[in-house]
Amino acid sequence: MRSSKTVNIRDVARAARVSAGTVSRALSGSPLVNEETRAKIMEVVKALGYAPHPSAQRLSTGKTFAIGLIAPFFTRPSVTERLNGAVSLLVKNHYDLVIHDIETPEQRQAGFLDIIRRERVDGVLILSMRIHDQDAQLIKDSELPVVLVDTDHPALAQLNRLVVDDVAGGRVATEYLLQLGHTRIGFIGDYVENPLGFVSSRNRRSGYCQALEQAGVPVRPEYYSEGEHGRPFARLQARQMLSQPMRPTAIFAASDTQAIGVLEAARDLALRVPDDLSVIGYDDIEFADILQLTTMHQNLAESGRLGVQLLLDSIANPQLQPIYRVLPTELVVRRTTAPVSDLSQ
Amino acid sequence: MRSSKTVNIRDVARAARVSAGTVSRALSGSPLVNEETRAKIMEVVKALGYAPHPSAQRLSTGKTFAIGLIAPFFTRPSVTERLNGAVSLLVKNHYDLVIHDIETPEQRQAGFLDIIRRERVDGVLILSMRIHDQDAQLIKDSELPVVLVDTDHPALAQLNRLVVDDVAGGRVATEYLLQLGHTRIGFIGDYVENPLGFVSSRNRRSGYCQALEQAGVPVRPEYYSEGEHGRPFARLQARQMLSQPMRPTAIFAASDTQAIGVLEAARDLALRVPDDLSVIGYDDIEFADILQLTTMHQNLAESGRLGVQLLLDSIANPQLQPIYRVLPTELVVRRTTAPVSDLSQ
DNA sequence: ATGAAAGCGCTAACAG
DNA sequence: CTGTTAGCGCTTTCAT
C-alpha cells in the first residue's frame, strides 16, 4: 500500500535528519553545507526518488525556467524549420517551452495577452508574427525579455531582433531574372493584408518592384497577383497569369510553397520549366532541393537557434545591449531558371 | 514611477473592499457570491489588470493546466503533421503545452524521467516514440494520464492508445503492386534497430513479407535494403538496388520521405516512373500529393487531435475506460505506379 | 554549517 | 454570502 502522495522536501529532511532548509541548500549546490551531510542528503534523495515540485519552486523563486514561444506554428514550412532550431537549443538548456500557436486572428489577441506575463515564463520568443501597434505596447510594458525573429516593429527598437531583409532578397531574385534576359517577369504573392499579418511577401514584392524600376522595366499590374497563401492558390494565380496573351517568361514567387504552385500551373498548361518559363522561389525549404527549385536561401533553423540564444542571454543578463541583426539571404540557382529563349516569347 | 511588482489577489481584494477569498471565488465563477460584489470585483480586476499567478494557482490546486508532449518533433514530416492536430486542439482548450523534443537517444532518458511527474503537467501525450521496457515501468508507476499515439507497449494495455496497423498497411501496398503484375518488388526501409526506435518501418516490412509469401513470391534479400532514415540515404539504397542485373520493377518504401529518395534514384539512373519502375510510399504527407506519389494514406493530423481529446477526457474523468483504436490506413493511387510492362523486364 | 520561521500568491475548508 | 485561516512545497533570511 504505497501512499500516493509524492515525496516532498520535508520527507527528505526527516529521513536525512536535517532541516528542509539544508536539503534545499544541498540541492542547489550551496557551498554552505558540509560535504558529509550533502552526501547523506543526496543518498536519501535518490533512495526516495525525490524531485522538487516545479510550481513551488517557481512560486518561491519567481523564476520559471520556461520560455514562451509565439508563432504560427504549422502554417508554413519556413516557420517549422525556424522552430526546429529554436527547440533544439531550448532542450539543450533544460528550458521548458510553453508554446502558443497562432493560426487565427482571434488567437493573436489572446496569445499575446496571455503569455506576456512575467509569472508564466522567463522570456518570450516571437517568430514570424506581424506585431500590431497594440501588441507592441503590451510587449513594451511587460518588462519581460522578448526577442523578435523574422519580424519587427518600429516601437520595439530596444529589443533583440533578428530580421530578414526581404526587400533585398526580392531585389536579388528579380535582378537574377533580369540578368537572364527576362523582362516579362511575374510576381505571385500573398494578399498584402493577410489575417496573420505576415509581411514577408509584401517586402519581397517591394524588392521586385525596385529591381524592375532600376532596370527601366515597367511594373505591370497584369504580371502581379496576390492571393491567399498556399500552393493551390498560387497554382490558380499562376494559371491565370500564364494564360494571358503576352504571358510572363519568368515568375518570382514570394515563397517556395507558392513557387511549387507555379510549377504545377506550368505543368497544367504544358509549359516546360525552365525552357518556357523560369521560376524562382524564396526560403529554400527542403522541398526546394527536391524539386530543384531556384530560390533565395536563408538559414532558417539557425535563425531560430540564434533567437533562443539571444533570449537566454538576456534572461541571464538583462542589462545586455540589445542586438539588431539582419540575417543573410543568398540566391541558390538550381534547375527552374534559364536564360529567356526566343521560343518562350 | 510605477511599482514593478505585479498586482496580486490581495491588491484586488483591498481595492474592492472584500477579502482575497471572495475575489478568488468571484474569479472562479463560484455561485456563492453576490452578483453586485462580483461585478465590483471584476471591475477592479480589469482596472488593475490583474491576472492570477499561474504557479501559485498550480501549487494550491495541484492542477497545472498543462500537458506534456513527448515526440521526436522535427525528425519526420509525419510527426510534424500529427503534432499539428494535437496542438490545434490543445490551444482550443487553453492548455499550456510543455514540449519535450526527443532527437537523440540520450534525450529519451531525460525526457521520460523529467516529464512524467505529476507536478509538472496534468497528462502526457507520447507520439511516435518507441517505448522501452523501463520507460513503460515509469509510465505505469506515474499514475498520470498518458496516451500513446502511433506507438504501443505490451505492458501498457491499461492506457489510451491510438495505433496504426503498419503491418496491414505494408500488406495492402505490396498486394497492390502484386496485383499490377509485379513480382520483383523491392523494399527500402529504416534500420530495424534505429536509435530513436521508430518501429513503423519494421512493421511495414512485415506486411510486405506477408503479402509476398501469401502470393507465393519469394522474399529475396537483394530486394531488401535497410538504411538510415532520410531521403538521401534512401536514394543511395535505391540506386544500389536498381543497379543490379535483375532489378526490381517496383519498390515499396517505408515512408514517403524515402519514396522520394527512390524517385530521385530513378531519375539518376534514367528510369522512367511508372513505366520502368513503380514506386509506392507511406504516410501521404503533403509532398506525396505534389509529386503525385502513390502511397498509403493515414489521417495524421486527426490522430494527433484524437490523442489530445482522449487525454483531456481522461484528465477530466480518470475512471474512463481506456480506448484502444487502430487508425485506418488507405491506399491512394496516384501516378507513380503502373502495371508491370514487358519493357521493364 | 544548520535550524527556525517567514513568505511567494493562491485556494478551500470552516465559521459565521 | 463573506471573512478568516491554514496550507500547497519550496527558498531564503536571520539567528545561532
Side-chain angles (χ1 to χ4, degrees):
Chain A
M1 203 69 163
R2 135 140 64 87
S3 152
S4 96
K5 250 188 94 321
T6 48
V7 359
N8 66 23
I9 201 169
R10 268 189 303 265
D11 299 329
V12 175
R14 202 172 311 123
R17 310 191 157 288
V18 293
S19 75
T22 304
V23 175
S24 175
R25 280 185 288 258
L27 254 27
S28 68
S30 156
L32 312 164
V33 48
N34 188 308
E35 265 320 313
E36 277 180 46
T37 56
R38 183 197 304 274
K40 170 79 179 178
I41 288 170
M42 288 314 192
E43 198 176 306
V44 174
V45 163
K46 193 147 196 188
L48 266 45
Y50 167 76
H53 186 125
S55 297
Q57 229 165 1
R58 289 169 183 180
L59 180 56
S60 185
T61 61
K63 292 245 334 163
T64 65
F65 275 97
I67 84 122
L69 186 46
I70 303 184
F73 277 66
F74 299 103
T75 42
R76 310 190 174 194
S78 59
V79 177
T80 307
E81 295 195 21
R82 279 191 223 277
L83 277 171
N84 191 339
V87 170
S88 71
L89 191 53
L90 242 10
V91 166
K92 217 173 281 166
N93 286 279
H94 300 286
Y95 260 71
D96 269 6
L97 185 53
V98 177
I99 79 173
H100 270 244
D101 179 31
I102 311 275
E103 305 283 335
T104 67
E106 304 83 63
Q107 288 172 4
R108 280 185 53 81
Q109 291 290 86
F112 274 91
L113 271 155
D114 209 42
I115 213 171
I116 310 257
R117 304 211 60 231
R118 182 155 256 326
E119 300 85 9
R120 219 179 191 50
V121 294
D122 295 339
V124 175
L125 185 67
I126 300 179
L127 211 64
S128 300
M129 294 286 314
R130 165 82 163 281
I131 297 177
H132 294 185
D133 291 352
Q134 66 197 73
D135 305 330
Q137 196 53 48
L138 227 54
I139 293 169
K140 242 179 147 163
D141 291 349
S142 83
E143 312 184 19
L144 196 62
V146 174
V147 353
L148 269 32
V149 173
D150 186 31
T151 180
D152 201 357
H153 189 281
L156 298 175
Q158 78 287 4
L159 258 41
N160 279 297
R161 291 165 298 155
L162 258 33
V163 304
V164 179
D165 191 345
D166 286 312
V167 177
R171 204 174 335 109
V172 170
T174 310
E175 280 165 1
Y176 178 63
L177 294 173
L178 287 163
Q179 197 183 309
L180 289 173
H182 297 276
T183 52
R184 304 212 306 271
I185 301 174
F187 178 89
I188 302 266
D190 301 7
Y191 284 122
V192 165
E193 287 306 329
N194 61 78
L196 278 175
F198 280 90
V199 288
S200 52
S201 174
R202 184 202 305 210
N203 291 334
R204 289 163 194 180
R205 185 202 172 215
S206 297
Y208 158 83
C209 293
Q210 283 180 16
L212 291 186
E213 278 160 17
Q214 199 180 325
V217 175
V219 177
R220 298 215 242 145
E222 64 268 34
Y223 291 168
Y224 168 75
S225 165
E226 58 181 50
E228 190 160 334
H229 185 87
R231 183 168 52 91
F233 299 102
R235 182 179 188 165
L236 252 46
Q237 291 170 255
R239 206 142 60 185
Q240 200 152 13
M241 188 183 293
L242 292 169
S243 303
Q244 301 176 84
M246 280 290 271
R247 64 163 183 81
T249 61
I251 289 182
F252 169 36
S255 69
D256 287 347
T257 303
Q258 287 162 310
I260 293 169
V262 173
L263 256 26
E264 291 175 320
R267 195 171 58 189
D268 294 341
L269 300 172
L271 292 173
R272 289 164 309 157
V273 174
D275 314 271
D276 303 327
L277 180 73
S278 283
V279 178
I280 187 165
Y282 208 112
D283 287 335
D284 201 17
I285 60 177
E286 201 198 344
F287 251 129
D289 180 40
I290 296 175
L291 296 174
Q292 291 294 310
L293 177 70
T294 295
T295 189
M296 294 302 300
H297 170 89
Q298 41 178 332
N299 197 334
L300 297 165
E302 179 62 16
S303 74
R305 210 158 19 227
L306 233 93
V308 168
Q309 189 59 61
L310 250 34
L311 187 53
L312 294 180
D313 288 350
S314 72
I315 287 170
N317 185 354
Q319 313 307 349
L320 240 46
Q321 191 64 23
I323 284 174
Y324 174 80
R325 192 150 136 199
V326 178
L327 299 168
T329 318
E330 186 186 358
L331 176 69
V332 179
V333 176
R334 296 204 182 89
R335 305 236 181 102
T336 57
T337 42
V340 67
S341 73
D342 293 342
L343 287 173
S344 69
Q345 298 303 316
Chain B
M1 205 68 164
R2 134 140 65 85
S3 152
S4 97
K5 250 187 99 315
T6 47
V7 355
N8 67 23
I9 201 170
R10 269 190 300 267
D11 298 329
V12 175
R14 203 173 312 122
R17 308 190 160 288
V18 294
S19 76
T22 304
V23 175
S24 176
R25 280 185 290 258
L27 254 27
S28 68
S30 158
L32 312 166
V33 47
N34 187 307
E35 266 318 315
E36 275 179 48
T37 55
R38 185 196 303 276
K40 170 79 180 178
I41 288 169
M42 290 312 192
E43 198 176 304
V44 174
V45 163
K46 194 147 195 189
L48 266 46
Y50 167 76
H53 187 126
S55 298
Q57 231 166 356
R58 287 167 185 184
L59 180 57
S60 183
T61 60
K63 293 241 339 159
T64 66
F65 276 97
I67 82 120
L69 185 47
I70 304 185
F73 276 66
F74 299 103
T75 43
R76 309 190 174 195
S78 59
V79 177
T80 308
E81 294 194 21
R82 280 191 222 279
L83 278 171
N84 192 338
V87 169
S88 71
L89 191 53
L90 242 10
V91 167
K92 217 175 280 166
N93 288 83
H94 298 287
Y95 260 71
D96 267 6
L97 185 54
V98 178
I99 78 172
H100 271 242
D101 179 31
I102 312 274
E103 307 282 334
T104 68
E106 305 82 65
Q107 288 172 4
R108 281 186 51 82
Q109 290 292 85
F112 274 91
L113 273 153
D114 208 42
I115 212 170
I116 312 257
R117 302 213 61 230
R118 184 158 253 328
E119 300 86 5
R120 220 179 192 45
V121 293
D122 295 338
V124 175
L125 185 67
I126 300 179
L127 210 64
S128 300
M129 292 289 312
R130 163 84 164 281
I131 298 181
H132 295 184
D133 292 350
Q134 65 198 73
D135 304 331
Q137 197 52 48
L138 228 54
I139 294 170
K140 243 181 146 159
D141 291 349
S142 83
E143 311 182 23
L144 196 62
V146 174
V147 353
L148 268 32
V149 173
D150 185 31
T151 181
D152 200 358
H153 189 282
L156 298 176
Q158 76 287 6
L159 257 42
N160 278 297
R161 291 166 299 156
L162 258 33
V163 304
V164 178
D165 191 346
D166 287 312
V167 178
R171 204 172 336 106
V172 169
T174 310
E175 279 164 0
Y176 177 64
L177 294 173
L178 287 164
Q179 196 184 308
L180 289 174
H182 295 276
T183 52
R184 304 212 306 271
I185 301 174
F187 177 89
I188 302 265
D190 300 7
Y191 285 123
V192 166
E193 288 305 329
N194 61 75
L196 279 175
F198 280 91
V199 288
S200 53
S201 174
R202 184 202 305 210
N203 292 333
R204 289 164 194 179
R205 185 201 172 214
S206 298
Y208 157 84
C209 293
Q210 282 180 20
L212 290 186
E213 279 160 16
Q214 198 180 321
V217 174
V219 176
R220 300 215 242 145
E222 64 269 33
Y223 291 167
Y224 169 75
S225 165
E226 57 182 49
E228 191 160 333
H229 184 88
R231 183 168 52 93
F233 300 103
R235 182 180 189 165
L236 252 46
Q237 291 170 254
R239 205 142 62 181
Q240 201 153 12
M241 187 183 290
L242 291 169
S243 302
Q244 301 176 84
M246 282 289 271
R247 64 164 181 82
T249 61
I251 289 183
F252 169 37
S255 69
D256 287 346
T257 303
Q258 287 163 312
I260 293 169
V262 174
L263 293 177
E264 291 175 320
R267 193 172 59 189
D268 294 340
L269 300 171
L271 292 172
R272 288 163 310 157
V273 174
D275 314 87
D276 303 327
L277 179 74
S278 284
V279 178
I280 186 165
Y282 208 110
D283 288 333
D284 200 15
I285 60 176
E286 200 198 342
F287 252 129
D289 179 41
I290 296 175
L291 296 174
Q292 291 294 310
L293 177 70
T294 296
T295 190
M296 295 301 299
H297 170 88
Q298 41 178 333
N299 198 334
L300 297 165
E302 179 62 16
S303 74
R305 209 156 20 223
L306 233 94
V308 168
Q309 189 59 61
L310 250 36
L311 187 54
L312 294 180
D313 288 350
S314 72
I315 287 170
N317 184 354
Q319 312 307 350
L320 241 44
Q321 192 62 25
I323 284 175
Y324 175 79
R325 190 148 138 203
V326 178
L327 299 169
T329 317
E330 185 187 357
L331 177 68
V332 179
V333 177
R334 295 204 182 89
R335 306 235 180 102
T336 57
T337 43
V340 68
S341 74
D342 293 341
L343 286 173
S344 71
Q345 298 301 318

